[in-house]
Amino acid sequence: RDSQQADTEHLSRWEKWRRTSSKSLKKALSDVKGLLSYLVLWRHDIHKIEGKFGTGIQSYFSFLRFLVLMNFIIFILMFSFVILPIIISNYGIFNSTIASRPKNIEDNCTIYEPNGNKGLVYFYTYLQDLLSGTGFLEVTCLFYGYYTIDAVWVSIMRYNFPLAYLLTTFAYLALSFAWIIKRSVEGFKQNLVHDADPFQSYCNKVFAGWDFCITDPNAAHLKHRSLEYELKTDLHEEKQKRKIAQRTMKKKLCIYSLRIFINIIVIAILSGCFYSIYRVTVFSQENSNVSIRNDTRTDLVKAVQYLPSIVITLANFIGPLIFSFLIRFEDYTPAFEIKLTLMRCVFVRLANIGVLLFSLWSQISDCGADKCKPCGYNYKLYPCWESDVGQEMYKLMIFDFIVILAVALFIHFPRKLLVTYCSCKLVKCFGQQEFVISDNVLEIIYGQTICWIGTFFSPLLPAIATIKYFIIFYIKKIVLIHTCKPAARPIRASSSNFFFLLVLLIGLLLAFIPVGVGIARIPSSKACGPFRNFNTSWEVIPDTILQFPTLLQQILFGMASEAFAVPFLVILCIIMFYFIALARAHKRVVEQLREQLV
């Protein structure tokens, strides 16, 4: 400090002022950052969970917080560019034009009469509509069919609503992708540091694990517990590795044979789930849609429309229970056990959504006996097919939340009461439950995939997802604290966080497929929505480009041609190979530094 003061004596007044200002600004920014950390959602709750149940379970609640924030941002996007223009036009604040009926299209294609409730309506009818998205909800801004405007005029400026709708869809998918990749890279760095050397990981915890900024006794206790869990996890993993190394050839053969047999059972369960969903979806669509359109619904028909959601919910509930039971016999490490169970359960859940959408697409595009010759899609069953897809996604979202709430109320809490107050041997055999991370992560990844797919068809779905995950946080927190015990086999947070995001990324990439097919391949409904003037939703892009100046048109169409794509791909490959070579060089340097540290 003395040498710094001596140096500053020879500086000009301007240079002294600049250095002082820079220091003051840094201090102010540091203080603001410290204050903002207190505004982080559920900060105190998550720290308490970390101290009591370890970093593995804390990573689940941090992941849930991330999804709440992401869905809220997606909702802000959809509200600003899609929902708000409709509200403004409805109140007559700005002038707007309705998307005109397409020319050269038969009148049958343009008939869409949502089944809104008329006359005296019973309360249970509103409840049914709330669960299924039909009736009064079908004619609200919740679904695609409500958005019929073509443009909003602000003075002489024209707001192209169909273009805004499509670009906002691309924006929320791109934002989700970039955000997940950013968080995944951070998790990957932590994984690399941990997986490098167990001895180094141990030294880091013992000599550099303590946070010397902690002054509160409660915070110190939580940090103690967190470090204890991390050390337990390290020891348990080393024990498992030693056990695996000591296996005889006979033992290995037995384990591998058992694993093959269990995987055959898993494939059989998956096949049964997919076939059931496909048959139920086809049956439900054929029997319920015609009755709804003709307003001839009976109680049986009303029940039929819920069949796909009920079967998918049952498959999602029973499948993971069977997989969690079977994996106990496969003798994997705790970390790999979670990953494999999660991958199996993710596959069954995401594939269930895929089978449902495939069944819907096959029904929408079913052109047998010239059903879709006039319009390009099955207009008799689906006059506004986008709203129908939105309703299916809405039903899955609502049923998923109902199941999570019901499991907490009717399974977790009664089990806790039985274990606490009943001394029966059967009850003691089951014991107090553990918080199964794989199942809980799977629930929220499944719900998020539904949200990504459904937002194009139901713009308010991100708002529903935000509220749903906000409530789920408190449900899971209460269940964890009051009914669960700490895991017998601790789980590491660094590997968990990275793996959760990796599975979430798989869900997002799978969501791209149905949304892309709906936008680019299936003809848009001619009776509803902002794209009824276009053959497909994608056509709004080239149609808008054709309104640009000729030079800009040539540049954009040139960028979309093979002449631009091939050189661009070659340059990308060269850049990728350069970074791979750079990473290998860095890896060698890191290995040398590790040797020097040892």
Side-chain angles (χ1 to χ4, degrees):
R1 192 180 292 147
D2 290 340
S3 66
Q4 282 181 355
Q5 286 176 354
D7 290 340
T8 55
E9 287 174 6
H10 304 292
L11 297 173
S12 63
R13 286 183 180 180
W14 163 252
E15 194 65 30
K16 284 179 181 178
W17 180 84
R18 197 173 65 81
R19 284 196 180 185
T20 308
S21 302
S22 176
K23 283 182 179 179
S24 301
L25 183 65
K26 282 180 182 176
K27 188 176 185 304
L29 287 172
S30 177
D31 291 341
V32 169
K33 196 175 178 182
L35 287 170
L36 288 174
S37 69
Y38 287 98
L39 301 176
V40 173
L41 186 65
W42 299 320
R43 176 175 170 270
H44 181 65
D45 293 325
I46 288 173
H47 277 316
K48 279 181 71 177
I49 289 164
E50 180 184 356
K52 193 170 183 182
F53 295 94
T55 54
I57 290 172
Q58 171 263 334
S59 66
Y60 163 78
F61 285 92
S62 299
F63 183 62
L64 190 55
R65 177 175 61 189
F66 163 65
L67 290 185
V68 169
L69 294 173
M70 185 169 66
N71 280 305
F72 182 70
I73 298 297
I74 293 171
F75 164 66
I76 295 294
L77 265 177
M78 295 302 292
F79 181 80
S80 302
F81 296 103
V82 176
I83 300 164
L84 191 61
I86 283 282
I87 294 169
I88 287 169
S89 66
N90 286 348
Y91 281 97
I93 299 168
F94 295 114
N95 293 328
S96 62
T97 54
I98 303 294
S100 58
R101 297 290 171 117
K103 297 173 183 177
N104 306 320
I105 291 287
E106 289 189 18
D107 291 338
N108 290 339
C109 299
T110 60
I111 297 168
Y112 173 53
E113 296 176 357
N115 190 51
N117 296 322
K118 297 169 186 176
L120 183 64
V121 180
Y122 292 106
F123 174 75
Y124 73 85
T125 306
Y126 283 116
L127 193 60
Q128 286 175 346
D129 292 341
L130 200 64
L131 290 173
S132 63
T134 53
F136 76 96
L137 279 179
E138 195 171 350
V139 291
T140 62
C141 58
L142 182 59
F143 294 112
Y144 171 94
Y146 179 79
Y147 300 87
T148 54
I149 64 170
D150 181 55
V152 176
W153 292 91
V154 183
S155 185
I156 57 167
M157 290 191 299
R158 181 177 181 270
Y159 182 78
N160 189 335
F161 186 77
L163 181 66
Y165 196 107
L166 193 63
L167 291 181
T168 307
T169 301
F170 295 153
Y172 84 73
L173 290 171
L175 173 72
S176 302
F177 183 75
W179 204 344
I180 292 167
I181 289 291
K182 182 181 177 296
R183 286 181 67 98
S184 298
V185 167
E186 291 168 4
F188 186 62
K189 285 176 186 174
Q190 291 176 7
N191 252 7
L192 281 177
V193 169
H194 172 260
D195 293 341
D197 181 13
F199 179 71
Q200 188 183 357
S201 170
Y202 173 76
C203 289
N204 286 343
K205 287 182 184 68
V206 172
F207 298 112
W210 188 252
D211 182 357
F212 285 93
C213 295
I214 293 173
T215 55
D216 180 54
N218 292 327
H221 178 67
L222 292 174
K223 188 67 181 175
H224 279 142
R225 295 288 297 271
S226 176
L227 285 169
E228 181 190 341
Y229 265 91
E230 285 288 311
L231 291 167
K232 277 183 180 178
T233 309
D234 286 341
L235 292 167
H236 194 273
E237 284 183 3
E238 287 301 313
K239 187 180 177 183
Q240 283 291 111
K241 285 175 185 175
R242 193 170 292 178
K243 186 181 172 184
I244 289 165
Q246 291 172 352
R247 281 177 187 161
T248 61
M249 185 58 70
K250 185 181 176 182
K251 185 73 174 171
K252 285 179 183 177
L253 282 171
C254 288
I255 289 167
Y256 292 141
S257 303
L258 187 61
R259 285 176 185 174
I260 291 166
F261 177 68
I262 287 170
N263 278 298
I264 291 167
I265 295 171
V266 168
I267 291 166
I269 291 165
L270 293 174
S271 304
C273 289
F274 300 157
Y275 182 74
S276 303
I277 291 162
Y278 176 76
R279 295 306 309 165
V280 161
T281 306
V282 172
F283 175 78
S284 169
Q285 296 298 311
E286 286 177 348
N287 287 277
S288 64
N289 270 20
V290 173
S291 301
I292 289 168
R293 300 301 169 207
N294 298 333
D295 202 19
T296 56
R297 292 183 288 179
T298 62
D299 289 336
L300 183 61
V301 170
K302 287 174 184 176
V304 163
Q305 68 177 320
Y306 298 112
L307 270 179
S309 301
I310 291 167
V311 171
I312 288 173
T313 304
L314 282 172
N316 292 342
F317 180 67
I318 295 166
L321 291 176
I322 296 170
F323 298 151
S324 299
F325 174 74
L326 290 174
I327 203 161
R328 294 175 190 173
F329 303 102
E330 294 183 81
D331 199 19
Y332 291 117
T333 59
F336 186 76
E337 192 174 299
I338 284 177
K339 290 174 183 177
L340 184 60
T341 308
L342 196 57
M343 287 307 296
R344 282 173 180 170
C345 299
V346 160
F347 185 75
V348 71
R349 289 207 177 206
L350 299 185
N352 284 348
I353 301 171
V355 172
L356 172 70
L357 290 168
F358 172 76
S359 311
L360 286 171
W361 294 158
S362 63
Q363 289 289 298
I364 292 163
S365 306
D366 182 14
C367 295
D370 295 331
K371 288 180 188 175
C372 54
K373 192 174 180 181
C375 316
Y377 59 93
N378 192 341
Y379 67 94
K380 289 181 180 177
L381 271 181
Y382 304 97
C384 183
W385 65 263
E386 291 93 343
S387 286
D388 287 312
V389 174
Q391 285 168 355
E392 288 298 331
M393 295 299 105
Y394 172 81
K395 277 188 276 189
L396 286 177
M397 181 78 80
I398 296 299
F399 271 83
D400 183 49
F401 177 69
I402 289 168
V403 166
I404 290 168
L405 188 62
V407 167
L409 290 174
F410 303 116
I411 294 178
H412 294 325
F413 283 102
R415 179 174 171 178
K416 170 68 176 178
L417 290 171
L418 283 170
V419 169
T420 308
Y421 298 107
C422 183
S423 57
C424 173
K425 285 185 178 179
L426 184 64
V427 171
K428 294 294 180 187
C429 180
F430 282 101
Q432 195 175 343
Q433 66 187 2
E434 289 183 11
F435 191 83
V436 183
I437 292 180
S438 58
D439 292 353
N440 286 283
V441 168
L442 191 60
E443 285 172 354
I444 57 177
I445 289 174
Y446 166 75
Q448 188 56 43
T449 307
I450 291 168
C451 180
W452 279 323
I453 294 169
T455 301
F456 178 75
F457 309 105
S458 177
L460 272 177
L461 217 54
I464 296 168
T466 305
I467 296 164
K468 172 188 163 184
Y469 288 139
F470 193 86
I471 296 167
I472 283 173
F473 181 91
Y474 288 102
I475 292 170
K476 294 295 181 183
K477 182 191 164 190
I478 292 165
V479 165
L480 175 69
I481 291 169
H482 295 288
T483 72
C484 295
K485 62 179 180 181
R489 296 184 297 178
I491 301 129
R492 190 178 311 286
S494 57
S495 58
S496 301
N497 278 324
F498 174 65
F499 193 69
F500 296 165
L501 290 163
L502 186 66
V503 175
L504 187 65
L505 188 62
I506 292 167
L508 178 60
L509 295 174
L510 286 174
F512 285 161
I513 298 167
V515 174
V517 169
I519 290 170
R521 296 290 299 171
I522 301 177
S524 53
S525 296
K526 303 300 180 284
C528 69
F531 301 104
R532 55 182 170 182
N533 286 329
F534 303 97
N535 187 36
T536 61
S537 303
W538 174 256
E539 279 191 6
V540 72
I541 301 288
D543 186 73
T544 305
I545 291 171
L546 289 171
Q547 297 171 21
F548 292 165
T550 310
L551 180 62
L552 188 56
Q553 282 184 43
Q554 289 173 350
I555 292 167
L556 291 171
F557 283 123
M559 287 173 70
S561 66
E562 292 87 347
F564 176 81
V566 173
F568 181 70
L569 188 65
V570 169
I571 291 165
L572 273 181
C573 289
I574 291 166
I575 293 167
M576 187 178 71
F577 285 129
Y578 166 74
F579 278 110
I580 288 169
L582 197 65
R584 284 176 180 167
H586 286 159
K587 190 178 178 182
R588 283 197 295 273
V589 172
V590 167
E591 285 171 357
Q592 288 170 4
L593 288 169
R594 279 210 189 101
E595 287 172 7
Q596 288 174 25
L597 279 172
V598 170

